[in-house]
Amino acid sequence: QVQIQQWGAGLLKPSETLSLTCTVFGGSFSGYSWSWIRQPPGKGLEWIGEIHHSGNTNYNPSLESRVTISADTSKEQFSLKVTSVTAADTALYYCAREDGGFSDWGRGTLVTVSS
Amino acid sequence: QSVLTQAPSASATPGQSVTISCSGSSSNIGSNYVYWYQQLPGTAPKLLIYRNNYRPSGVPDRFSGSKSGTSASLAISGLRSEDEADYYCAAWDDSLSGRVFGGGTKLTVL
């Protein structure tokens, strides 16, 4: 059973960089794609981007200029960075494993951007 | 504005059936698999249907998915109070080279 633990700073000021990391437990890191998804308060889900086991990445075009997703396979971790955050980036951020759908999710990290 | 379109709400009484629809285009639903997620209040989404109509282990057969052209549907039969949740459809979009979600449908079990 895969478990995903996520962490990162929950309160940021405008223009700062959001940084979150997920660690995968259960020995199932290689061979899968890993995504970041966010959900603004009271709103729906928005896919941010993904990193494949090959290291290739795909990003949501609306966020691509500010987003970087990376992975450290030796630590079975993957990370998200979003630069120049604004209040519009306030959301619950989830990481998830893609295995024919997002089959396993982290519990979410609430990130609030406020001056 | 979501790429995939869902009605914002639906409702039915216990024991009844309900269908939640998801409308897209040729670049997403029309040419790729559709996935459905259930999000109970205060929890992370859960995969309900994958590759249009397959259920992960543990998902009751009361839940079923279908796809036709550029639209997809999630049907829930024998509604229970615990089915009250937000439901999201998702697919890969070839034009955007990325994954897209519907805006979500809030199901109320009256």
Side-chain angles (χ1 to χ4, degrees), chain B residues 15-69:
Chain B
Q16 282 190 323
S17 298
V18 68
T19 299
I20 295 171
S21 298
C22 177
S23 177
S25 67
S26 58
S27 65
N28 41 65
I29 293 178
S31 52
N32 294 290
Y33 292 124
V34 177
Y35 303 83
W36 289 93
Y37 299 88
Q38 176 193 58
Q39 187 176 32
L40 298 171
T43 68
K46 169 190 169 184
L47 180 63
L48 209 57
I49 297 289
Y50 66 97
R51 294 187 182 180
N52 301 333
N53 54 13
Y54 291 90
R55 287 184 307 276
S57 173
V59 174
D61 59 6
R62 301 186 297 105
F63 294 90
S64 63
S66 64
K67 186 181 100 167
S68 178

Side-chain angles (χ1 to χ4, degrees), chain A residues 33 35 37 39 43-47 50 52 58-61 92 94 98-103 105-108, chain B residues 2 35 37 39 42-47 49-51 86 88 90 92 95-104:
Chain A
S33 295
S35 276
I37 296 153
Q39 185 171 34
K43 296 189 178 180
L45 302 171
E46 179 181 36
W47 180 77
E50 66 187 5
H52 298 274
N58 290 299
Y59 298 122
N60 184 325
L92 189 54
Y94 293 103
E98 205 285 327
D99 178 22
F102 297 121
S103 55
W105 296 66
R107 298 179 71 173
Chain B
S2 302
Y35 303 83
Y37 299 88
Q39 187 176 32
T43 68
K46 169 190 169 184
L47 180 63
I49 297 289
Y50 66 97
R51 294 187 182 180
D86 294 323
Y88 295 91
W92 178 266
S95 296
L96 298 174
S97 293
R99 303 180 190 276
V100 292
F101 284 98

Side-chain angles (χ1 to χ4, degrees), chain A residues 3 6 29 31 39 44-45 50 53 60 75 80 82 94 97 110:
Chain A
Q3 290 192 345
Q6 58 179 106
F29 191 80
Q39 185 171 34
L45 302 171
E50 66 187 5
H53 57 86
N60 184 325
K75 296 181 180 178
L80 169 72
V82 181
Y94 293 103
R97 181 177 75 154
L110 179 61

Side-chain angles (χ1 to χ4, degrees), chain A residues 42-93:
Chain A
K43 296 189 178 180
L45 302 171
E46 179 181 36
W47 180 77
I48 299 170
E50 66 187 5
I51 185 163
H52 298 274
H53 57 86
S54 63
N56 291 338
T57 53
N58 290 299
Y59 298 122
N60 184 325
S62 69
L63 298 168
E64 187 166 12
S65 63
R66 297 192 295 128
V67 169
T68 302
I69 296 175
S70 59
D72 184 337
T73 55
S74 67
K75 296 181 180 178
E76 299 194 322
Q77 291 179 345
F78 60 109
S79 299
L80 169 72
K81 289 192 188 299
V82 181
T83 61
S84 305
V85 297
T86 69
D89 294 308
T90 293
L92 189 54
Y93 285 75

Side-chain angles (χ1 to χ4, degrees), chain A residues 1-4 24-29 32 34 97 103-105:
Chain A
Q1 179 72 14
V2 173
Q3 290 192 345
I4 305 175
V24 179
F25 298 93
S28 301
F29 191 80
Y32 294 97
W34 302 91
R97 181 177 75 154
S103 55
D104 300 281
W105 296 66

